[in-house]
Amino acid sequence: MAGVRKLLLEESLALGPTWRHACHVLLYAPDPGKLFGRIPLRYAVLMLMRFDGRLGFPGGFVQLRHESLEDGLNRELVEELGEGAAAFRVERANHCNSRAVSDQHIVTHFYVKRLSQEQLAAVEIGAPRARDHGLEVLGLVRVPLYTLHDGVGGLSAFLENTFIGAAREQLLETIQDLGLLESGCVFKH
């Protein structure tokens, strides 16, 4: 994206009142399941289908005059994912990076939060009852962190979808940084 630069969290907060801040989080949990009884799933990573038909991470704009980044993000999570998201809290320690989109005066803050299997299941079960379900959020999606024997199905096919902003890059960076892919798993960038 043109006019986008990474910056430190402290730098982003010092940009001033003309900048808007949006926070999003990648939620993931261990998944011991096997697809078709043979393909290890290893982890479940959640994304959502947005109102505009693009994939993204839960979150949204926060009002720094009234709330911290994390308070705003946690509020957005309950609105988009329902009460299952109230059972955990995304904290400053979960912050990964911030990006400034200069021409729009927007700073995006990206977080990563590991959940338990039970917490993730509660989010998935409760999401259809969330305030924004069917409006801003059309549904949750698990990212397939595997490649099928045809070499195309799975993550490579998933990456052919349309993503909002830097969501695709954030997904790829995070699954690599956290080692969520099985060694030897190949996917197209």
Side-chain angles (χ1 to χ4, degrees), residues 42-89:
R42 300 188 68 227
Y43 293 93
V45 173
L46 291 184
M47 293 191 80
L48 50 81
M49 178 62 70
R50 295 165 32 96
F51 64 93
D52 57 8
R54 294 183 279 186
L55 293 169
F57 294 104
F61 283 101
V62 301
Q63 305 300 322
L64 283 181
R65 284 180 239 159
H66 308 293
E67 58 192 358
S68 70
L69 293 173
E70 293 75 26
D71 287 342
L73 175 55
N74 286 292
R75 174 188 48 76
E76 283 285 334
L77 292 180
V78 172
E79 290 172 7
E80 293 182 352
L81 304 177
E83 288 304 314
F88 60 87
R89 183 166 168 79

Side-chain angles (χ1 to χ4, degrees), residues 23-30 43-47 57-58 70 73-74 77 81 84-97 109-117 119-121 123 170 174-175 178 180:
C23 298
H24 295 87
V25 63
L26 180 149
L27 300 172
Y28 76 103
Y43 293 93
V45 173
L46 291 184
M47 293 191 80
F57 294 104
E70 293 75 26
L73 175 55
N74 286 292
L77 292 180
L81 304 177
F88 60 87
R89 183 166 168 79
V90 178
E91 300 288 351
R92 181 68 48 105
N94 302 120
H95 182 267
C96 286
N97 61 61
H109 303 277
F110 188 63
Y111 295 75
V112 175
K113 176 75 173 175
R114 182 179 174 141
L115 304 178
S116 68
Q117 292 174 334
Q119 288 171 319
L120 186 107
V123 167
Q170 291 166 327
T174 303
I175 62 178
L178 295 175
L180 301 184

Side-chain angles (χ1 to χ4, degrees), residues 3-31:
V4 177
R5 65 183 169 95
K6 282 190 175 183
L7 60 161
L8 297 173
L9 179 60
E10 295 75 26
E11 292 176 301
S12 71
L13 294 173
L15 287 174
T18 62
W19 287 77
R20 294 175 39 193
H21 294 261
C23 298
H24 295 87
V25 63
L26 180 149
L27 300 172
Y28 76 103
D31 186 343

